[in-house]
């Protein structure tokens, strides 16, 4: 099967868990202290997809990386802003997969009508900073010593990317379903693939 970028499904939860669990256990990249179970990961995917995209990159029927969006905050005035995250299997990093997934994710978010994307990065993490800044994110601030993990207090830097020019009267963001059923959907998913040089 040719490599593809597609929406995640509940059946991907086990492979997504396999990527994420070592990050939780071994690094401060994630501020979770215990990895979610496969069932919890499946519930996260199901809870995300009605409103926000959750994408996977699949090669040889294996999930190699994934990216998703989530609410930046819950109060209503924040509804045009999202947080984003991307994770790639440790054996496939620096192969363009993160760039490809984010490129597709951001195009979907634009079409939904979200105006800004935000990424929190536990510091130091030069690889993640480099990825985000290569895609137009700019630093906007640092939470100092905001989390304690692996025996140390950790800073978290925040980066922001403007997805759309601001409107004086923004329409409500569209549900993901509206974009999935558009004629351009397959071409949107495909546009990230040329950016990948893994494999």
């Amino acid at each position: 099967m040719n490599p593809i970028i597609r929406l995640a499904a509940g059946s991907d939860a086990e492979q997504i868990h396999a990527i994420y669990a070592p990050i939780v256990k071994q690094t401060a990249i994630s501020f979770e202290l215990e990895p979610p179970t496969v069932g919890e990961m499946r519930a996260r995917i199901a809870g995300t997809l009605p409103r926000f995209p959750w994408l996977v990159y699949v090669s040889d029927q294996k999930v190699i990386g994934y990216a998703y969006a989530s609410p930046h905050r819950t109060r209503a005035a924040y509804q045009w802003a999202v947080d984003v995250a991307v994770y790639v299997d440790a054996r496939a990093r620096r192969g363009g997969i993160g760039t490809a997934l984010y490129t597709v994710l951001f195009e979907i978010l634009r079409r939904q009508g979200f105006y800004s994307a935000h990424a929190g990065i536990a510091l130091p993490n030069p690889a993640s900073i480099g990825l985000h800044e290569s895609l137009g994110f700019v630093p906007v601030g640092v939470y100092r010593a905001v989390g304690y993990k692996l025996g140390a207090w950790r800073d978290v830097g925040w980066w922001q990317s403007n997805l759309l020019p601001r409107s004086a009267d923004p329409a409500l963001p569209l549900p993901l379903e509206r974009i999935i059923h558009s004629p351009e959907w397959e071409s949107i998913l495909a546009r990230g693939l040329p950016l990948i040089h893994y494999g």
Side-chain angles (χ1 to χ4, degrees):
M1 179 183 292
N2 291 330
I4 59 170
I5 293 173
R6 60 166 173 78
L7 283 181
S11 56
D12 298 317
E14 186 170 355
Q15 293 187 66
I16 289 173
H17 175 271
I19 294 170
Y20 185 58
I23 292 170
V24 174
K25 290 178 182 177
Q26 300 166 14
T27 79
I29 290 172
S30 167
F31 270 22
E32 295 196 76
L33 299 180
E34 296 294 333
T37 66
V38 172
E40 288 169 339
M41 191 63 78
R42 187 177 297 112
R44 291 182 187 187
I45 296 168
T48 298
L49 285 175
R51 185 175 176 200
F52 302 102
W54 185 314
L55 302 172
V56 291
Y57 170 68
V58 180
S59 180
D60 294 327
Q61 300 185 325
K62 182 177 180 182
V63 175
I64 307 296
Y66 65 97
Y68 62 89
S70 58
H72 179 62
R73 294 288 186 273
T74 58
R75 292 184 179 177
Y78 286 113
Q79 65 188 296
W80 292 273
V82 297
D83 286 354
V84 295
V86 62
Y87 296 96
V88 177
D89 186 292
R91 294 162 292 187
R93 291 175 190 156
R94 301 189 182 278
I97 295 169
T99 298
L101 285 164
Y102 260 174
T103 296
V104 176
L105 186 79
F106 298 157
E107 180 60 25
I108 296 169
L109 292 169
R110 287 187 194 98
R111 289 170 183 259
Q112 287 184 264
F114 291 106
Y115 281 77
S116 63
H118 306 261
I121 302 173
L123 303 175
N125 191 336
S128 184
I129 292 170
L131 170 64
H132 286 85
E133 292 189 348
S134 74
L135 291 167
F137 281 74
V138 296
V140 292
V142 177
Y143 294 169
R144 301 292 181 186
V146 70
Y148 185 84
K149 187 173 181 184
L150 298 178
W153 287 100
R154 309 286 176 172
D155 295 347
V156 173
W158 281 91
W159 274 255
Q160 177 175 327
S161 175
N162 293 325
L163 300 171
L164 293 171
R166 294 300 192 277
S167 166
D169 185 22
L172 294 177
L174 296 173
L176 181 59
E177 167 180 274
R178 289 279 296 278
I179 312 304
I180 293 171
H181 295 300
S182 71
E184 298 87 8
W185 177 245
E186 293 301 327
S187 66
I188 294 169
L189 294 178
R191 70 182 52 181
L193 295 175
L195 302 172
I196 296 172
H197 47 89
Y198 159 78

